[in-house]
Amino acid sequence: MAIQPGTALQSAITDLPLLSTALRQHATSAKNTHVYTSPAAFEAFIRGGGNVPLYERVSAELASHYTTETHSLLDIGCGDGHALFPALAATANPQTLQRLTLVEPASALLTSAVARAQAEQPALPVQALNEGLGAFAAKLQPDDRWDLAQASFALQAIPEPERWAGLARLREHVRKLVIVEFDIPDLVRGSDAYVASLAARYERALGEYEGATRDLVAQGFLIPMFLGQLDAQTAATNWEHPASVWREKLENLGWRVTRLEHISDYFWAPAFVLVAEA
Ligand SMILES: C[S@@+](CC[C@H](N)C(=O)[O-])C[C@H]1O[C@@H](n2cnc3c(N)ncnc32)[C@H](O)[C@@H]1O
């Protein structure tokens, strides 16, 4: 994509050297090669830069909720367990937990999570459900109960009607809910302020990687993501909100929010934890 002079993007990137360079490289290489989103680039992204302290903090936060009363745990959208397993390893009450339920619609990720559970928590009974929150919530029986449900960066991936209906249903089956999401700025998609904010955030992300890793992460992940977020035609694959909106929506569903706090700075937006009682 050639950047047109005089556009909001052109003025937004004027003082952002890393993003300007990465966009130029992308415009040149995209004509000749197929350097699009690659698993290697995503791996390098997620295992480096600000993701490392972010996930350390998220796992520590989750672990702090595994108390002597947490006998059953439900992880909604667990992915490969990147947040969950370090949290389980760090809990101060390793003997208390008696069962773990994983809800994850992406089969490959669920398979990885189950393998990791077998390797790291061999004594813990695991129920692995290859489905999304909506299908899971629709099948809940009156006696289904968990002491704690957690979801880290997963509820944003669920379309709103499915998400809110699922969380409403879950309230009868879960004592406590812990969610971690990003407290995104309240900007209108496509506005000049949005473009400027997006550009500044991606400049910061690029600065968290160096050398060949920066090029890989930029060309294979961050720049395709950035351009997708600028393009009005790209269909949304996640639905985020400022933290205050999460609180309001959950309270409207009857959840009692007992804590809402930023826990980690991050290029995209600060991560927050929200704790709610049923
Ligand atoms: C950004 S990942 C977070 C994974 C993990 N919780 C973590 O912290 O690393 C978002 C996850 O939400 C899952 N997801 C997508 N749609 C979902 C749905 N309808 N119900 C539950 N999980 C969903 C994705 O498959 C993905 O594993």
Side-chain angles (χ1 to χ4, degrees), residues 17-67:
L18 302 179
L19 185 58
S20 302
T21 304
L23 282 168
R24 253 196 322 274
Q25 280 171 357
H26 187 267
T28 321
S29 62
K31 288 195 192 87
N32 307 318
T33 58
H34 296 284
V35 193
Y36 297 120
T37 320
S38 76
F42 178 71
E43 275 301 303
F45 166 75
I46 201 78
R47 310 280 172 216
N51 288 292
V52 177
L54 172 71
Y55 268 90
E56 282 172 4
R57 187 63 196 89
V58 170
S59 294
E61 176 66 36
L62 294 174
S64 74
H65 297 278
Y66 307 159
T67 68

Side-chain angles (χ1 to χ4, degrees), residues 6 8 48 54 69 87 90 97 106 109 121-122 125 131 141 146 155 180 207 211 227 232 249 254-255:
L54 172 71
E69 293 174 355
L97 198 61
L109 293 176
Q121 301 287 335
E131 60 194 8
Q141 299 297 309
W146 289 267
L155 298 181
V180 180
L227 295 175
K249 295 274 189 187
W255 289 94

Side-chain angles (χ1 to χ4, degrees), residues 243-253 257 274:
S244 56
V245 174
W246 287 95
R247 172 200 280 271
E248 191 186 317
K249 295 274 189 187
L250 284 161
E251 286 179 342
N252 286 343
L253 298 177
V257 175
L274 181 154

